[in-house]
Amino acid sequence: MALSMEHNKERVRAYFDVLEQHTDGAVADLEEYVADDVVNHNPVSSDDVEIGDTHGIAAFRRHLEALTTAFPDLRIDVQDMLGEDDRVAVRFVLRGTHEGTLMGIEPTGREITLSVIAIYRFDDGKIAERWGEASR
């Protein structure tokens, strides 16, 4: 079922809210926003998440938990959000204090600011694919 572009944009905003409200790295309510067979084309890597581990909601959850464990005070500031057909592109700034290992980098205790562009493809109101690029 195809849903409206505005609906998909609202789903991205709500998904970001879930990420900001996590506790102890656990990301709750993910199934409400992400398809069971989601494909994450650019997962972060850590001891628990391998670059090749890209398919399914369990792998997606590990990707997000690696991120939210590394940055327990994660904040997302959406700069731009555009959509067409079944895709939503978002440019956002991610901020957080680096308190956990991420991609083999030991915690620094410093606030990190990343500029991120991510594209989400939706199917039946849920994220079915994700592509993302980040820079400092």
Side-chain angles (χ1 to χ4, degrees), residues 84-100:
E84 186 172 332
D85 298 325
D86 61 352
R87 296 173 196 244
V88 174
V90 187
R91 183 176 65 87
F92 59 95
V93 175
L94 185 146
R95 289 182 179 84
T97 307
H98 187 200
E99 294 184 11

Side-chain angles (χ1 to χ4, degrees), residues 6 17 19 67 75 84 90 94 99 107 113 115 117 128 132:
E6 287 307 313
D17 287 345
L19 295 183
L67 186 64
R75 296 171 318 281
E84 186 172 332
V90 187
L94 185 146
E99 294 184 11
T113 300
S115 177
I117 296 176

Side-chain angles (χ1 to χ4, degrees), residues 1-130:
M1 170 175 80
L3 297 172
S4 77
M5 181 53 51
E6 287 307 313
H7 179 268
N8 290 344
K9 288 178 179 180
E10 284 303 315
R11 298 297 284 177
V12 170
R13 287 182 189 96
Y15 160 75
F16 284 171
D17 287 345
V18 166
L19 295 183
E20 288 183 331
Q21 295 171 15
H22 70 280
T23 58
D24 299 326
V27 181
D29 303 323
L30 192 58
E31 291 79 6
E32 184 177 339
Y33 302 97
V34 178
D36 289 340
D37 58 350
V38 64
V39 178
N40 185 8
H41 295 279
N42 309 98
V44 296
S45 178
S46 72
D47 294 338
D48 297 328
V49 181
E50 297 296 325
I51 287 296
D53 191 7
T54 61
H55 291 77
I57 197 163
F60 199 87
R61 181 178 296 284
R62 287 191 301 273
H63 155 79
L64 295 176
E65 288 178 350
L67 186 64
T68 57
T69 297
F71 303 102
D73 59 346
L74 180 81
R75 296 171 318 281
I76 299 169
D77 182 20
V78 174
Q79 305 291 302
D80 290 299
M81 186 178 292
L82 308 166
E84 186 172 332
D85 298 325
D86 61 352
R87 296 173 196 244
V88 174
V90 187
R91 183 176 65 87
F92 59 95
V93 175
L94 185 146
R95 289 182 179 84
T97 307
H98 187 200
E99 294 184 11
T101 302
L102 184 68
M103 298 175 62
I105 301 170
E106 293 297 319
T108 64
R110 292 184 295 165
E111 176 152 307
I112 302 295
T113 300
L114 296 175
S115 177
V116 182
I117 296 176
I119 300 171
Y120 300 94
R121 183 182 68 79
F122 280 80
D123 186 22
D124 199 22
K126 293 186 176 184
I127 297 169
E129 287 185 271
R130 177 199 169 273

